[in-house]
Amino acid sequence: MAQIIGKKLGMTQIFNDDGTVVPVTVIEAGPCTVTAVRDHERDGYAAVQLAFGAVKEGKLSGGELGHLSKAGAPPSRTVIEFRDPEGSHEIGNTVTVEGFAPGDKVKVAGTSIGKGFQGTVKRHNFSRGPVSHGSHNVRAPGSIGASAWPARVFPGKRMPGQMGNKRITQRGLEVVEVDTDRNLLLLKGSIPGAKNGTVEVRSEA
């Protein structure tokens, strides 16, 4: 099971031999250093911890620097654990895009673009109210509950609030091309997040 941390660079397109156009997302994936390995006997689960993204030492605490230096990893901005039932990694190893191949199915997790505080029309695709005959209900959400009973608003009601900026996992993406020289993954279609956002790429088993 291949997994790696990367940075979304943006979208482009490539042409197949038959002339068809394929939209792809370019991810700068790795190289990532293995900073910890979890096993069932000691930790109760099997996982591998990867570090990615160069950062100044002053941005990290002493404990973080000590943890990375034990594995021989440079100061890294992002440290993420991945489930690894096979247990094929060792501390200090380097994970690159070579673990992926064109045609592989992967899933990508990232943080969606934040859109701030939005109303129900934009956030939940509500319909607008009438705008004639003196109506003032143009973009209002309408009734959110009765007054006598239950005399409260039920939790989970679709209302205005923060839109976006949530963890999203996109499944069923296909690897179109792997550039080992530049540590690039080209995935068919779009993935969550803004440009330069951190993403997690896992093979779908």
Side-chain angles (χ1 to χ4, degrees):
M1 182 176 181
Q3 56 268 321
I4 199 169
I5 309 172
K7 179 174 68 173
K8 178 180 177 180
L9 298 182
M11 292 195 68
T12 184
Q13 60 186 16
I14 61 176
F15 293 87
N16 293 328
D17 296 334
D18 58 358
T20 57
V21 180
V22 180
V24 296
T25 301
V26 183
I27 301 176
E28 180 185 352
C32 301
T33 305
V34 178
T35 54
V37 176
R38 315 298 184 192
D39 57 42
H40 285 284
E41 295 182 1
R42 183 181 68 249
D43 305 294
Y45 66 102
V48 59
Q49 186 184 90
L50 304 181
F52 171 77
V55 68
K56 295 181 180 179
E57 290 188 5
K59 299 287 186 179
L60 303 178
S61 66
E64 292 170 332
L65 289 172
H67 176 70
L68 293 171
S69 62
K70 286 182 180 180
S76 304
R77 183 183 305 275
T78 305
V79 177
I80 299 176
E81 276 194 3
F82 297 87
R83 291 287 183 172
D84 184 31
E86 300 175 359
S88 56
H89 297 281
E90 295 182 1
I91 296 178
N93 288 356
T94 302
V95 178
T96 65
V97 293
E98 294 179 354
F100 299 89
D104 290 351
K105 293 293 185 179
V106 298
K107 55 184 178 181
V108 178
T111 302
S112 61
I113 298 175
K115 301 183 183 300
F117 189 98
Q118 299 297 335
T120 55
V121 173
K122 181 172 182 178
R123 189 184 186 203
H124 302 296
N125 198 29
F126 279 16
S127 298
R128 59 183 295 172
V131 294
S132 62
H133 300 288
S135 173
H136 297 285
N137 179 18
V138 180
R139 294 175 68 92
S143 174
I144 58 174
S147 58
W149 186 91
R152 65 187 180 94
V153 178
F154 285 119
K157 182 70 67 174
R158 293 186 296 170
M159 298 179 67
Q162 166 69 33
M163 183 178 180
N165 195 31
K166 294 183 179 179
R167 179 180 172 87
I168 303 292
T169 300
Q170 182 73 33
R171 300 177 182 273
L173 297 172
E174 180 182 350
V175 178
V176 178
E177 187 177 332
V178 179
D179 189 340
T180 56
D181 295 332
R182 295 184 292 175
N183 300 313
L184 298 180
L185 277 178
L186 273 64
L187 306 182
K188 183 178 180 180
S190 61
I191 65 172
K195 291 182 180 180
N196 298 321
T198 302
V199 295
E200 307 165 22
V201 184
R202 299 174 174 84
S203 60
E204 283 197 328

